[in-house]
Amino acid sequence: SRLLEMYFYNASYVYFPIGEFKKAVACNLKEAKVARKAGNKKGELIALFNAAFQDLNAAITANRNVKVAYDSFARAGSKLRKRIAGSPEKFDIQWMANLTCNTPLYNWFVNKKIPTVKTLEFLLNLPDDIRPTFHDAYLMISLVAKNPKEAASRFAKITKKDASAHSMALVIIAQTH
């Protein structure tokens, strides 16, 4: 069943870059079901977080039900964070870094709450072999904390080659100006 979980996890990320967020959600929900049946609570929480993440991207892109999708995303992230907080496992540390990046960034997108540099302290203390993976995200979120309008413009430039991310960036620019 772990192989089936991984199949659905990877299938969801085939749909993400092409903006097929609802298909990605369906894959993540199947992954969660498989994990639940196998007794893999952490795997289930990760799948549910990914489903909420994809659903939020769909809502932002369509500019519909964004607040509802964000609230679901925040709840799923909170449940996952509680499960893995303080774990010394590299996998869990990477997920905490992921949550540390995504949560304040989407909170800015949706609720216009500018993240603080304090929000990012966890990223500064990552193990050496993980830190480079999250360096760009740290820089982007730091820029948001200092100058949200400039951050939105840079985000749009960075995402020009990715249609779904670029459309989200344009929505963000509209919200910050």
Side-chain angles (χ1 to χ4, degrees):
S1 47
R2 181 70 184 134
L3 184 60
L4 193 54
E5 272 183 69
M6 293 308 300
Y7 169 78
F8 287 124
Y9 173 84
N10 288 308
S12 75
Y13 280 97
V14 168
Y15 293 117
F16 176 75
I18 59 173
E20 293 283 352
F21 302 118
K22 292 298 182 185
K23 288 180 180 177
V25 169
C27 288
N28 290 130
L29 292 177
K30 288 176 185 174
E31 175 192 0
K33 185 177 179 180
V34 170
R36 184 174 37 257
K37 283 184 177 181
N40 180 359
K41 184 65 176 172
K42 183 169 49 175
E44 179 185 4
L45 291 172
I46 289 170
L48 292 173
F49 173 78
N50 282 329
F53 170 73
Q54 301 290 7
D55 195 45
L56 178 57
N57 286 321
I60 290 171
T61 302
N63 202 19
R64 284 192 304 249
N65 301 318
V66 175
K67 182 69 173 128
V68 172
Y70 175 79
D71 289 345
S72 176
F73 166 80
R75 279 191 307 276
S78 178
K79 288 178 183 176
L80 179 56
R81 184 182 302 272
K82 285 177 187 170
R83 174 70 181 212
I84 62 176
S87 169
E89 289 182 41
K90 182 178 179 178
F91 180 79
D92 293 344
I93 293 168
Q94 289 171 319
W95 267 103
M96 281 299 285
N98 183 321
L99 293 169
T100 301
C101 292
N102 281 307
T103 304
L105 196 58
Y106 278 90
N107 198 18
W108 169 57
F109 292 171
V110 175
N111 297 318
K112 298 179 182 67
K113 290 187 179 177
I114 298 170
T116 63
V117 175
K118 184 171 175 44
T119 306
L120 305 173
E121 285 179 358
F122 179 81
L123 298 175
L124 295 174
N125 298 311
L126 290 172
D128 292 339
D129 61 332
I130 298 173
R131 191 176 308 120
T133 305
F134 293 93
H135 181 72
D136 289 344
Y138 171 79
L139 292 176
M140 182 66 188
I141 299 168
S142 296
L143 179 60
V144 170
K146 294 173 190 163
N147 188 340
K149 287 186 180 186
E150 182 184 343
S153 296
R154 281 197 187 174
F155 188 63
K157 288 176 187 170
I158 292 168
T159 60
K160 269 196 173 179
K161 293 182 181 175
D162 179 341
S164 61
H166 189 65
S167 65
M168 283 194 297
L170 296 177
V171 170
I172 295 160
I173 289 172
Q175 291 176 343
T176 58
H177 284 67

